[in-house]
Amino acid sequence: MNSAFSETKPKIENACMNSVLRVCGNCNLKNLCWECKKETTKKDFEKAILDIIGGVKDENLEYPTGRSCKNFNEIIENIKRTIDSYEDGMEAKIRAKEIYNGMSEKFLFAEAIVGYTNEGIKINDNLNLEKTTKIKNLLSDYEIETVRTECIINSLNKMFIEIEVMKIDNKNLINKDILGKISLICERQMSEPIVFDIENRTLIRISEKAVFNPQICVNRHNCNNRELCGDYCSYFRDGTGKFFVIISDGMGSGGRAAADGAVTAGIIERLIRLRVDPVSAIKIANLSISGKASEESLTAVDIMVFDLYSGETEFVKAGAPLTIIRKGNRIHKIEDASLPIGIFDETNLSVNKLKFSEGDTIVMLSDGITDIGTDWIENKLKSLDVINANDLADYILRETAIRRKMNHDDDATTAIINI
């Protein structure tokens, strides 16, 4: 048992005893144990908890209560799961703190971004001064004080607005009435605002109504049904007309892998929301985490960038497995050799582009699924007339569990995107 775990021993013991009581509370024989033999029962389970924490083998977990308790094995398994959850949670906290302590915020958002500015932050936008002024005046009429307001036309002649205010709790600052008037000023139908915080500011983006409306279902299995998962998946619209899906797979399973996956994805998502392109966001994340902890932090990263106006889509992979696509009745695969980030200062990324139409389906997977092969997923995609994202995601995880029965378990994640 590690020292950090030892320090929380009283807490883990209480949690384990609660897990015992949850099972006993549903037992119709509990009166025999917890009333007639309360002291013996309590003492036996307290000793069992200490023995399991101390690493005593199952065959040596012998107690008087265990000989008469029909639920004894279930209780022992509950205790083990509770201990695993505590260990995973502590490992994740320690790992995340270790990585963050090793990272320099100044390095991350100054030197790294400056180093990739020409390559990474591609802003081919035109500021519409007339509409910007009108929007500023409109917001002022509603007593909304802004730090910055810009009405922007991008390279596809699509419009979006950036409104920056001091950090607020009210994420519905731009109500339907204001949005309707903004649409009139822009002479275009504008979508609902995308709102997120950056440091001490809140950024509000309002983009022209999209052509496509992708639907996504994410399904996940935690290795050995543990509480924490090494796979981390997030998806979001950035407010400029793009839809992102990020799968970040920390190597291994449990708390350490969960921290690696979540920290890496958090850095990348934050940079993308600041309009850093995904390739550069991955490079910056790699520089931020490599060598910043006592052990390597290896993470596979898979990013999909879907343009909501054109259907043009970019797939960026760093050590990530293949992506399976159904376009019409044909199956396509995107698979390129690349390494996870966190190994070297320089990253080896693969970038692929495809254009999608309504009715197409994208299946993103973590290696917990692809390690057992993917022919069965391709065959399933071919056989379906209509693809229901929820049903397909459930099928993939169920089938993965069946096919893994003879192999070791692993974290498994799938994201199904229907265009």
Side-chain angles (χ1 to χ4, degrees), residues 14 57 81 86 114 166 182 221 242 282 399:
N14 290 337
K57 294 180 179 180
R81 281 195 292 272
Y86 258 80
V114 169
M166 297 307 294
I182 288 175
H221 163 72
K242 290 181 179 176
I282 292 175
E399 188 68 16

Side-chain angles (χ1 to χ4, degrees), residues 296-315:
E296 283 185 328
S297 174
L298 306 185
T299 307
V301 180
D302 200 358
I303 301 178
M304 184 196 83
V305 188
F306 181 82
D307 191 295
L308 295 165
Y309 302 117
S310 68
E312 294 282 355
T313 306
E314 187 174 69
F315 296 90

Side-chain angles (χ1 to χ4, degrees), residues 12 17 27 34 36 66 246-247 267 285 355 393 415:
I12 186 70
M17 184 54 73
C27 179
W34 289 98
C36 299
I246 303 171
I247 296 180
I267 295 169
K355 186 170 183 176

Side-chain angles (χ1 to χ4, degrees), residues 226-372:
R226 297 167 86 162
E227 186 173 333
L228 297 177
C229 183
D231 294 349
Y232 185 94
C233 182
S234 67
Y235 54 91
F236 57 94
R237 298 186 184 216
D238 71 343
T240 74
K242 290 181 179 176
F243 175 70
F244 294 84
V245 182
I246 303 171
I247 296 180
S248 176
D249 180 3
M251 296 297 101
S253 62
R256 185 179 183 278
D260 287 348
V263 169
T264 301
I267 295 169
I268 292 170
E269 181 174 335
R270 181 178 178 182
L271 290 166
I272 286 174
R273 286 184 180 275
L274 290 170
R275 302 190 65 204
V276 177
D277 80 280
V279 169
S280 296
I282 292 175
K283 289 180 179 180
I284 292 169
N286 178 62
L287 288 176
S288 302
I289 66 173
S290 59
K292 299 299 185 291
S294 58
E295 299 179 56
E296 283 185 328
S297 174
L298 306 185
T299 307
V301 180
D302 200 358
I303 301 178
M304 184 196 83
V305 188
F306 181 82
D307 191 295
L308 295 165
Y309 302 117
S310 68
E312 294 282 355
T313 306
E314 187 174 69
F315 296 90
V316 185
K317 294 178 180 290
L322 82 168
T323 296
I324 304 172
I325 292 158
R326 190 174 94 166
K327 286 179 61 63
N329 293 320
R330 298 187 62 185
I331 301 298
H332 303 261
K333 291 188 286 187
I334 295 177
E335 184 175 20
D336 285 279
S338 58
L339 293 173
I341 67 171
I343 303 175
F344 306 110
D345 287 343
E346 293 297 321
T347 54
N348 174 30
L349 306 178
S350 71
V351 180
N352 290 271
K353 295 182 179 181
L354 272 177
K355 186 170 183 176
F356 290 94
S357 305
E358 187 174 342
D360 293 340
T361 297
I362 301 159
V363 180
M364 298 176 69
L365 306 160
S366 70
D367 62 8
I369 297 172
T370 59
D371 281 352
I372 58 172

